Amino acid sequence: MEERRMRASYMVPLAALITSAAQAGPLTYDQALRDAVANAPGAAAARAGITAAGADARAAGSLPDPRLSFGLDNFPVSGPPAYTLNGNSMTMGRVGVQQDVPNLAKRHAAQAQARAAIMAAEASQASRLRQIRLGAGSAWIDLAYAERRLRAMDESLGALRALPAAARTAAASGAARPAQTLAVDQAIATLEDRRAELLSAVARARAMLTRWTGVQAPETVGDIPALDLAPAKLRAALDRHPDVLAAEAGVSRAQADVAAARAEKRPDWGFEVAYQRRDPRYGDMVSAGVSMTLPLFARSRQDPRIAARQSSAAQADAEREDARRALEADLEAGLADHVMHHEQWMRARDTLVPLARKRAGLETASYSAGRASLTDVIEAKTALADAELTALDREAEVARDAVRLTITFGGDSQ
């Protein structure tokens, strides 16, 4: 009865998994990356940012809008013609157009600031796209290996489920102690707990892959990608990393701000043309004029602003170097971890798993020959399951390292 309940509890999540898989959308690794870039809202947001920056750049450095002015000039308020519009030859209505003309250096600085904004938007898009591709690639790897671990666990459980009947037969014949039948059930229950964890890991990984790709109930198909880590190429690509490009954009913006602050020391110009209408007895008039700003107090106004912008430029330059060093350290640390994880995987695959498999085979043969107990067989098969899962864990770690390093530090095509 207890065994039937255990099998029923095992079949419920299995049925849920099968139902989910029946509705799954198959995805290869490359397809997952493409779908993520095409469907992720973050990618659309990044593209909109570039469009906005480009639209702003088209207006940068252009002249301000002209101003239309209306007025009444020389209206008398005393004397015989007081408060009359036609009693004085100087009274006139005026309509004019004014145009401000910022100095050329200021307009060029505005254009440089706009170009820096485009650079920043493009760097932000590149960074967002890498995050999206990294999220999708990591989720695909997690799901693929979670499914592999689940299959390995099912094989181990299948091997152990053949033992309870043998244990009861041996106990009935007196060849084994009755308690050994309980040891088999305990081992199976322990592995089923781990299987429940693996089922949860599959569901979590599938949910994350859906989050990045938009594909409902995705299912991994195809081989694990063979990602070739080329440390020299990754190091050479650091200067094109989005974080470095964003810092470069910050430096360009700071330099443009310095140029804009210096341009404040140059005068701006203004032009005005006005038509003035008087009483028909006197005739109409036209006026024209030019104005200019007088930056006479540069020591207390413009110079402090220039010094502030220069300090900001020095800060941006230091932040660029800090970003480059941080990326370089992260890359070297990631490469070192990858080497370690690869060695651990090779050791598990080539040494630990073969030894565990050989031990399980020897213990099974010894048990058949009456030289080993059923407990020894259970321990050997459980150890084999642990070794196989450990090997898959280590292989998954190697694959995750490769995905993270190639997407984070490689080109956008990787």
Side-chain angles (χ1 to χ4, degrees):
M1 179 65 68
E2 181 64 23
E3 182 179 353
R4 285 197 296 271
R5 283 199 300 269
M6 292 173 62
R7 290 190 178 183
S9 65
Y10 161 72
M11 291 304 294
V12 170
L14 179 59
L17 180 64
I18 293 174
T19 301
S20 175
Q23 301 171 351
L27 278 180
T28 64
Y29 176 81
D30 291 335
Q31 185 62 48
L33 298 190
R34 288 193 296 269
D35 285 354
V37 171
N39 300 329
R47 289 190 292 269
I50 292 181
T51 302
D56 283 339
R58 289 195 294 272
S62 59
L63 293 178
D65 291 332
R67 294 195 300 273
L68 182 66
S69 63
F70 300 91
L72 180 65
D73 296 339
N74 305 316
F75 182 69
V77 294
S78 63
Y83 302 108
T84 62
L85 294 175
N86 55 5
N88 189 316
S89 64
M90 297 302 295
T91 301
M92 63 191 77
R94 173 177 47 83
V95 58
V97 177
Q98 299 173 337
Q99 176 66 63
D100 292 330
V101 183
N103 67 73
L104 193 59
K106 186 180 294 184
R107 292 161 63 189
H108 286 170
Q111 292 170 345
Q113 290 170 332
R115 289 193 296 269
I118 293 176
M119 290 174 57
E122 290 174 344
S124 177
Q125 182 196 38
S127 179
R128 184 73 65 88
L129 290 179
R130 290 197 184 200
Q131 292 174 0
I132 291 169
R133 294 171 69 246
L134 177 59
S138 299
W140 193 95
I141 291 294
D142 289 343
L143 179 57
Y145 278 98
E147 291 170 342
R148 287 188 175 193
R149 284 190 288 265
L150 185 61
R151 288 194 294 268
M153 177 59 74
D154 287 341
E155 291 177 2
S156 299
L157 278 170
L160 281 178
R161 287 197 178 95
L163 296 179
R168 286 191 291 270
T169 300
S173 64
R177 299 189 305 275
Q180 289 182 344
T181 60
L182 302 179
V184 177
D185 292 336
Q186 288 174 334
I188 292 175
T190 300
L191 290 183
E192 285 185 336
D193 282 345
R194 295 184 63 181
R195 186 183 187 280
E197 295 174 358
L198 293 177
L199 275 173
S200 177
V202 169
R204 289 196 306 269
R206 182 168 286 126
M208 288 303 299
L209 192 53
T210 297
R211 176 253 187 273
W212 289 111
T213 63
V215 177
Q216 296 301 315
E219 192 74 26
T220 60
V221 295
D223 296 331
I224 301 296
L227 299 171
D228 182 21
L229 277 180
K233 291 183 180 180
L234 295 181
R235 294 187 183 102
L238 280 179
D239 290 338
R240 301 188 300 275
H241 191 278
D243 290 354
V244 174
L245 296 179
E248 291 279 1
V251 170
S252 297
R253 177 57 189 257
Q255 292 172 345
D257 290 344
V258 172
R262 285 175 174 162
E264 294 291 341
K265 299 182 75 171
R266 300 184 181 186
D268 295 328
W269 297 86
F271 302 92
E272 181 179 6
V273 177
Y275 178 80
Q276 296 156 318
R277 181 173 179 79
R278 299 192 297 175
D279 186 271
R281 291 177 297 169
Y282 306 114
D284 297 340
M285 306 178 72
V286 173
S287 297
V290 178
S291 64
M292 63 179 295
T293 60
L294 298 175
L296 300 177
F297 305 99
R299 181 174 297 179
S300 60
R301 294 181 180 176
Q302 285 82 14
D303 287 348
R305 293 193 183 100
I306 293 173
R309 300 300 178 268
Q310 288 174 333
S311 296
S312 296
Q315 177 186 1
D317 192 63
E319 289 175 346
R320 174 181 57 184
E321 178 62 17
D322 182 67
R324 190 193 65 79
R325 291 186 183 184
L327 285 171
E328 185 177 2
D330 190 18
L331 174 58
E332 297 302 328
L335 289 172
D337 286 343
H338 179 67
V339 171
M340 174 191 67
H341 293 150
H342 192 272
E343 290 179 353
Q344 291 176 337
W345 172 39
M346 292 293 99
R347 191 174 299 111
R349 188 191 69 177
D350 299 337
T351 303
L352 297 181
V353 172
L355 288 176
R357 186 175 291 113
K358 185 176 181 179
R359 178 193 171 192
L362 291 174
E363 292 291 5
T364 301
S366 297
Y367 174 72
S368 300
R371 295 192 301 270
S373 67
L374 186 60
T375 302
D376 296 329
V377 176
I378 294 171
E379 290 177 354
K381 289 186 177 295
T382 302
L384 175 58
D386 288 338
E388 290 175 340
L389 292 176
T390 298
L392 284 173
D393 288 341
R394 294 181 180 182
E395 183 181 353
E397 197 68 37
V398 171
R400 277 193 294 267
D401 287 343
V403 167
R404 186 180 80 85
L405 292 173
T406 53
I407 292 180
T408 302
F409 298 100
D412 290 338
S413 62
Q414 291 181 293

